[in-house]
Amino acid sequence: MLDFDFYNPTHILFGKGRIADLPKVVPANARVLMLYGGGSIKSNGVYGEVMAALAGRVVREFSGIEPNPSYETLMQAVELVRKEKLDFLLAVGGGSVIDGTKFVAAAVHFEGDPWSILENRGRNIKQALPFGAILTLPATGSEMNNGSVITRKSLHAKLPFSNRLLFPAFSILDPAKTFTLPAKQVGNGVVDAYAHVMEQYMTYPVNSPVQDRFAEGLLQTLIEEGPKALAMPDDYDVRANVMWCATLALNGLIGAGVPQDWATHMIGHELTALYGLDHAQTLAIVLPGMLRVRKDSKRAKLLQYAARVWNITQGDDDARIEEAIKHTQDFFEQMGVKTRLSDYRLDAQSIEAVLRQLGNHGMVSLGEQRDVTLDVSRKVLEMSA
Ligand code: NZQ
Ligand code: ZN
């Protein structure tokens, strides 16, 4: 196992009706800014429950944080916090709202150009406002990690940043609040969580049986529960299991002490920034090709994955690996997420554009071995055409 630091201060409140516990976790004298998206929380009752729980407190609102939250929109929230002297942020929504809130938390007291937070991947953050989250979409893991991904529309740039000051103080996870998700977002969430596990598991062996078995357990649970979440959209237990899987997939636990890849995500971010695809759609396109192109350096883990996750034990090594990748791709399709560039009307020109942007953003030696050059990314995208 590799050396690691594991630090995660987020308090999780999980279960039905837990929004009512907000007054216990929001500091009594806080001047709160509640941030949310396009309005799903108004139609599904979440907004009303939050307001009732915080009755009598100072609460301002900022709405309109879009999927793939933009720097342009979030800077308006930063201005509001400064003007109204607010001191606690409450994100209510999916990963985009939580990520956007992390940026606002870091930008409010930032000296200098806040975009430099993204250029420095968050290393230059010196302080951040405290914040909590109420999660309505299981997918990103943002509710229990310190990462965020922000888009600057004017530059077609979608960049990640993180800092140890950016863990939510608490996150409330009520699986019943996910019943109103459109099927597309359920599928997206399961595929995103699956890809998060793969980015931390599908590398090379470092004798880490605990992390491996945690990862395999999460993958198998997503394979079992994901299709049920589509078929039985109001089954509480299914939603609860999917939600906890997505949180554990990216809260640092399975990634501690093992190599991590993330090349699929970095290429995916460029596809979203250029063409507006949903985050999970980009992962469903890139991941199968990534595994095929890099099957030699990932061979040992691919064989382990084939045997332990998909029970594939017959045939020669290459055949078992291909069968496991095919099962993965079929699973994404089963979740309603298409896996080819052509499914989204993207052609060879778009591959060139993605490669240019990867170059512009310094994404030229990705992956656990830093060997995913632009040439390798080209092969991956061509494999996914
Ligand atoms: O905006 P509203 O009206 O709330 O609607 C949202 C949005 O349109 C809707 N929605 C959310 N909860 C709902 C609901 N609709 C009905 N019922 C509910 N309960 O779903 C739509 C998508 O929401 P969004 O927050 O964009 O989705 P997701 O949670 O998948 O977040 C995606 C973003 O997270 C980033 C992605 O890059 C992308 O920008 N990621 C963040 C990560 C992190 N912080 O660790 C890691 C991930 O790899 C990912 O990159
Ligand atoms: Zn992701």
Side-chain angles (χ1 to χ4, degrees):
M1 202 191 296
L2 310 178
D3 293 350
F4 64 88
D5 281 22
F6 180 67
Y7 172 72
N8 193 318
T10 303
H11 174 185
I12 297 291
L13 295 87
F14 193 102
K16 215 178 278 183
R18 298 304 302 271
I19 293 174
D21 289 331
L22 256 183
K24 297 183 196 156
V25 284
V26 174
N29 298 319
R31 295 175 57 79
V32 178
L33 179 66
M34 169 182 174
L35 301 100
Y36 57 100
S40 70
I41 65 162
K42 290 222 165 144
S43 47
N44 63 14
V46 172
Y47 176 89
E49 286 182 34
V50 172
M51 284 306 179
L54 293 180
R57 311 272 192 120
V58 177
V59 183
R60 302 278 184 275
E61 291 178 38
F62 183 86
S63 65
I65 297 180
E66 56 281 77
N68 309 305
S70 78
Y71 175 80
E72 288 85 347
T73 299
L74 296 168
M75 283 308 293
Q76 297 172 26
V78 170
E79 286 310 315
L80 180 62
V81 173
R82 289 177 178 158
K83 193 168 113 231
E84 304 256 336
K85 301 204 172 6
L86 305 172
D87 57 18
F88 192 93
L89 307 179
L90 180 63
V92 188
S96 294
V97 172
I98 303 175
D99 279 13
T101 299
K102 289 175 181 175
F103 176 77
V104 175
V108 164
H109 295 304
F110 189 79
E111 288 173 18
D113 176 7
W115 183 245
S116 74
I117 294 174
L118 280 302
E119 291 167 337
N120 289 280
R121 303 288 186 269
R123 284 185 295 266
N124 52 348
I125 296 169
K126 302 266 187 321
Q127 52 177 320
L129 285 183
F131 67 97
I134 297 173
L135 180 68
T136 63
L137 196 178
T140 64
S142 190
E143 65 277 9
M144 200 179 175
N145 70 38
N146 63 343
S148 167
V149 194
I150 300 299
T151 297
R152 189 157 186 177
K153 289 186 201 159
S154 59
L155 303 177
H156 289 293
K158 179 173 180 179
L159 298 174
F161 71 102
S162 64
N163 189 285
R164 62 185 273 136
L165 298 171
L166 294 179
F167 287 94
F170 64 82
S171 283
I172 296 181
L173 278 56
D174 177 348
K177 297 296 179 265
T178 73
F179 289 157
T180 54
L181 282 169
K184 176 182 162 186
Q185 296 301 344
V186 174
N188 279 349
V190 168
V191 168
D192 192 21
Y194 199 94
H196 294 160
V197 179
M198 292 294 274
E199 297 272 30
Q200 300 164 88
Y201 165 77
M202 186 48 67
T203 57
Y204 54 86
V206 292
N207 196 354
S208 54
V210 174
Q211 292 91 324
D212 283 7
R213 288 195 170 95
F214 270 132
E216 288 153 0
L218 291 173
L219 294 173
Q220 286 180 312
T221 308
L222 289 167
I223 292 165
E224 280 170 22
E225 302 294 306
K228 289 189 211 161
L230 291 179
M232 303 182 282
D234 49 9
D235 185 313
Y236 177 85
D237 290 327
V238 169
R239 291 298 164 105
N241 287 318
V242 169
M243 200 167 208
W244 191 224
C245 265
T247 300
L248 290 173
L250 197 50
N251 73 344
L253 177 73
I254 63 167
V258 297
Q260 302 193 14
D261 184 338
W262 299 106
T264 294
H265 267 72
M266 294 309 125
I267 298 175
H269 290 164
E270 303 297 355
L271 278 166
T272 297
L274 285 170
Y275 304 110
L277 269 59
D278 293 350
H279 174 61
Q281 293 174 332
T282 71
L283 306 175
I285 294 168
V286 177
L287 183 62
M290 184 70 76
L291 298 179
R292 290 191 171 103
V293 169
R294 294 165 67 199
K295 73 174 178 188
D296 288 331
S297 64
K298 291 179 181 294
R299 179 164 293 263
K301 286 306 267 297
L302 277 166
L303 288 166
Q304 180 179 326
Y305 171 66
R308 292 202 198 163
V309 175
W310 293 107
N311 296 315
I312 300 167
T313 51
Q314 306 290 312
D316 67 29
D317 287 4
D318 281 317
R320 278 183 283 149
I321 287 173
E322 176 50 32
E323 198 181 336
I325 297 172
K326 181 76 176 41
H327 275 58
T328 309
Q329 193 163 0
D330 289 348
F331 174 61
F332 295 165
E333 297 268 351
Q334 185 189 3
M335 291 309 301
V337 189
K338 297 271 178 224
T339 57
R340 301 221 156 262
L341 283 168
S342 53
D343 292 323
Y344 304 90
R345 298 170 192 272
L346 295 178
D347 57 16
Q349 268 182 350
S350 62
I351 296 181
E352 295 309 319
V354 169
L355 291 169
R356 270 196 302 279
Q357 286 296 69
L358 284 169
N360 290 343
H361 298 143
M363 306 283 179
V364 295
S365 58
L366 300 170
E368 67 274 16
Q369 319 256 27
R370 317 308 299 165
D371 59 353
V372 181
T373 59
L374 289 182
D375 265 354
V376 176
S377 293
R378 176 188 300 281
K379 288 200 185 87
V380 169
L381 288 163
E382 285 172 355
M383 184 78 82
S384 316

